[in-house]
Amino acid sequence: MSCCDFEFGVAASGGQPTDSYSALEEQKLRLAARDMGSGMLQSDFHVPDMHCAACIGKIERGLTALPFVDTARVNLSNKRVSVLWHGARGSAAELMNTISRLGFDPSTFDLEASVISEDRTGRQLLTALGVAGFAAANIMLLSVSVWSGADGTTSALFHLISGIIAAPAIAYAGRPFFRSALKALRAGALNMDVPISLAVLLAFAMSLYEALTGGDNAYFDASVTLLFFLLIGRYLDHRMREKAHGAVTRLSRLGAKGASVLLPDGTMHYHAAADLQPGMRLAVAAGERIPVDGRILSESGTLDRSLVTGESQPVTLTKGAAVEAGTVNMAGQIIVEATRTADQSFLAEVVQMMQAAEHGKARYVRIADRLARLYAPAVHLVALATFAGWMVFGNSWQDALYAAIAVLIITCPCALGLAVPIVHVVGSNRLFANGVMIKDGAAFEKMTAVDTVLFDKTGTLTRGAPAVVVPPQASAAERSAACALAAASAHPFAKAVSQHLGDSQRSIELREVKETAGSGVEAVLAGNTARLGRRDWVLEIAGGSVPPPAEGSEVLFALTGEPAIRFGISDALRPDAVQTVQALNAGGLDIEILSGDLEAPVRAIAAELGVKKFRFGMKPADKVSHVETLQNAGRQCFVVGDGLNDAPALTAGYVSMAPSSGSDVGRLAADFVFTGDSLGAVQLARATGMATGRLVRQNFAIALAYNCIAVPLAMFGFVTPLFAALAMSASSIAVVANSMRLNLMKLPGSKVPATGARGEDRLDSDVRTADKHSARRPSRTLDATA
């Protein structure tokens, strides 16, 4: 069940919309694209008739040949094509036209629509399978009579009746193959369904010829049963891919369809989730899901944040606390102010990261692409050579044709096409069940080469929820100014200062607010520069006496020419931090701590964790320089950090990870993001990467062994077309089944299996709950006090 890449010279023009798309349609396609900045757009298309690695190669090469396309990536599991292109130099319509010219039917990608399309495809395959099975059973009954010694007239009659049954059955049940083959031929290309269709039609045509001429080789039962087995393989392949990709589908359905927006006059109007904008006040009833990221305006609220943290225990959040899309309000109506749109929410980010897991162009994917590219010319040449060889050695043309049909059926690169993406889908689902998201499937492969782990301290090894333990000696004005400046920063230490000085909050106008990574935040306050951050950076503007260094972590605040004041900070280690570091050490990895904090707290954390190598007082450039030095020396660095100051190092690392509680820049720079408090996610990500590497190699071995054994057997006549159909389906199913074994493996750091009562069953329960609540629609106008 795969498509190959053998094209007869399909030209791809580029640049402007063609006549097949109007200016309005082009505008709609552009609106559906994501703005990636710097004039780049990302368009996502649903292409349901892709089947294998060769389809991937054909589409990617066809799109990247366009002068305005930067990259094109195909997600085989959910039939998605993602194209990054220059918006000013080309058109989205030309992208659609190019895919169409290659023999496929693209449409704008929508996850729910793609799920509906896949469900429809499954039903169509099942119906075709039923028709083929019914016809095969009836023809087989007639064939038994022929085989039992029926006389010539009866045998000829039964052959004709079998042909009458077989013709409409093949015409209907063979449509999934015939349509795909016809599209490919019209596009001037060959795909896997071309030899399959050719084999089925040749088997039927030969049987029809024999029946009409009174021959003995009318095997209508074989031709219909062949189609029946092919459909079994394609349907099982479809269902297993659907199973592997199920977590993304279920997760996408957890988002609320909309919310009641509280208006200034006290009434509420229902808005779809896509129409919600930052600043809107949303009324979320008990049991409903929060549709977009926001912050609580009510005095308090009890929420189920298991989607975010992995912990099933509800938590109580107070006024001003941030909440994420997909979390559930457990008790009483709360008012939430939207801070992001639905497509920028936490839930949307998680779905995008999980979908992106299959897009990475790892080394194994490139190998599969090259092998699949050779398939099309090879299979037809081998089938032709088989037919010619049998004829040369004196065999009948019927026997030679049956051997050629077996070759056409049995040679299939489908297993190669599934070898990598299915493992990545299952691996990303396993990680998601444990609160870890992966942004690029290539990160799995990178994990297998890691030999050094570099940890940031604050917010990474520690919880990132520090508290002020040594309050400063400061005036009310200084406390108020420090509180205002701390509120302008997302750094955990600044949050601790802001929380500590909450009772000092008053209206203060800050101008020219600027946060410097690795140093702190500064602003102009009543004409004077104010700074909050590192000791050396703050002391550059301070005057008067210098506060003594703290025994632990600290933050300083000062106005220009004024004495600095000091906040002593303390932060606890994350759960499992000690066990995780010990396990990584036991696995032969070199561990280092890179921190911008003072020596004393960094040394104390290193001693508690048993880490011998640590560096303190490091700025972002220092961290990047150290990472590059290690990698230039041949080390492969796994960087784990959370803050704005860690983003350059996360990007410089061979592979990287960040907590979801960290800065937006840090999350965007990382390959993995973990949502819980436990640092065991680091160990789990590495263990999953190692396991996926083993499974990918096993899948390649299965695919190559199948072709090396099956093709020679078919050429020498040891395999019938029926057995070839079974073998072809079995090779794909074996690869998918082998990949699914990852769900059963016991991986270090894993607390929740990918399947079972706490994995998929929990997601299914959440989806049912979400569907139940989304079915409830408030009236168009409601009284806010009702």
Side-chain angles (χ1 to χ4, degrees), residues 13 31 153 242 358 379 468 476 545 613 648 656 659 714 741 749 759:
S13 61
L31 288 175
T153 303
E242 202 174 52
E358 296 169 78
V379 62
V468 174
S545 61
K613 298 181 181 179
S656 56
R741 289 196 307 114

Side-chain angles (χ1 to χ4, degrees), residues 550-609:
E551 293 183 1
S553 301
E554 66 176 10
V555 169
L556 267 63
F557 168 81
L559 291 165
T560 302
E562 299 292 331
I565 60 174
R566 174 173 57 82
F567 297 85
I569 306 290
S570 178
D571 196 4
L573 283 174
R574 285 182 179 269
D576 304 334
V578 175
Q579 297 91 321
T580 297
V581 170
Q582 290 176 347
L584 294 174
N585 264 321
L589 298 178
D590 195 15
I591 312 295
E592 290 189 44
I593 298 176
L594 308 181
S595 176
D597 208 347
L598 302 174
E599 179 180 2
V602 177
R603 184 180 295 276
I605 290 290
E608 189 174 353
L609 293 172

Side-chain angles (χ1 to χ4, degrees), residues 422-443:
I422 286 295
V423 176
H424 288 178
V425 170
V426 178
S428 63
N429 287 355
R430 180 71 185 268
L431 287 177
F432 171 72
N434 287 273
V436 182
M437 274 75 69
I438 178 173
K439 293 167 60 178
D440 188 344

Side-chain angles (χ1 to χ4, degrees), residues 244-471:
H245 198 74
V248 175
T249 303
R250 289 188 292 273
L251 183 63
S252 67
R253 293 172 60 190
L254 291 181
K257 304 300 182 184
S260 298
V261 178
L262 183 61
L263 302 178
D265 61 2
T267 60
M268 289 190 290
H269 285 260
Y270 181 81
H271 287 246
D275 297 330
L276 299 177
Q277 298 296 323
M280 287 183 172
R281 293 186 300 160
L282 316 176
V284 183
E288 292 184 346
R289 289 187 178 271
I290 296 174
V292 294
D293 292 357
R295 63 185 184 92
I296 296 178
L297 297 182
S298 303
E299 290 302 319
S300 65
T302 302
L303 291 96
D304 177 1
R305 300 183 71 239
S306 57
L307 180 67
V308 180
T309 65
E311 301 295 332
S312 58
Q313 188 69 27
V315 295
T316 300
L317 301 178
T318 57
K319 185 176 181 178
V323 292
E324 300 85 1
T327 54
V328 183
N329 179 26
M330 301 295 290
Q333 177 178 280
I334 60 173
I335 305 300
V336 175
E337 181 184 9
T339 56
R340 290 185 177 182
T341 59
D343 60 351
Q344 297 174 336
S345 68
F346 168 82
L347 185 61
E349 183 180 351
V350 172
V351 172
Q352 289 167 8
M353 282 193 289
M354 294 191 67
Q355 290 173 339
E358 296 169 78
H359 285 313
K361 279 299 179 186
R363 176 170 56 93
Y364 289 131
V365 177
R366 293 192 294 269
I367 292 173
D369 288 348
R370 287 196 295 268
L371 291 174
R373 196 180 307 170
L374 301 174
Y375 163 77
V379 62
H380 293 88
L381 289 175
V382 170
L384 182 61
T386 301
F387 179 82
W390 277 66
M391 293 297 293
V392 167
F393 285 97
N395 296 284
S396 67
W397 69 269
Q398 293 96 334
D399 290 339
L401 187 59
Y402 257 70
I405 290 172
V407 171
L408 287 172
I409 294 294
I410 208 166
T411 50
C412 175
C414 183
L416 280 174
L418 294 172
V420 181
I422 286 295
V423 176
H424 288 178
V425 170
V426 178
S428 63
N429 287 355
R430 180 71 185 268
L431 287 177
F432 171 72
N434 287 273
V436 182
M437 274 75 69
I438 178 173
K439 293 167 60 178
D440 188 344
F444 280 131
E445 184 179 322
K446 292 179 179 179
M447 270 295 186
T448 62
V450 165
D451 54 22
T452 303
V453 183
L454 306 177
F455 286 103
D456 171 52
K457 182 182 75 70
T458 304
T460 303
L461 290 171
T462 62
R463 288 181 179 271
V468 174
V469 294
V470 182

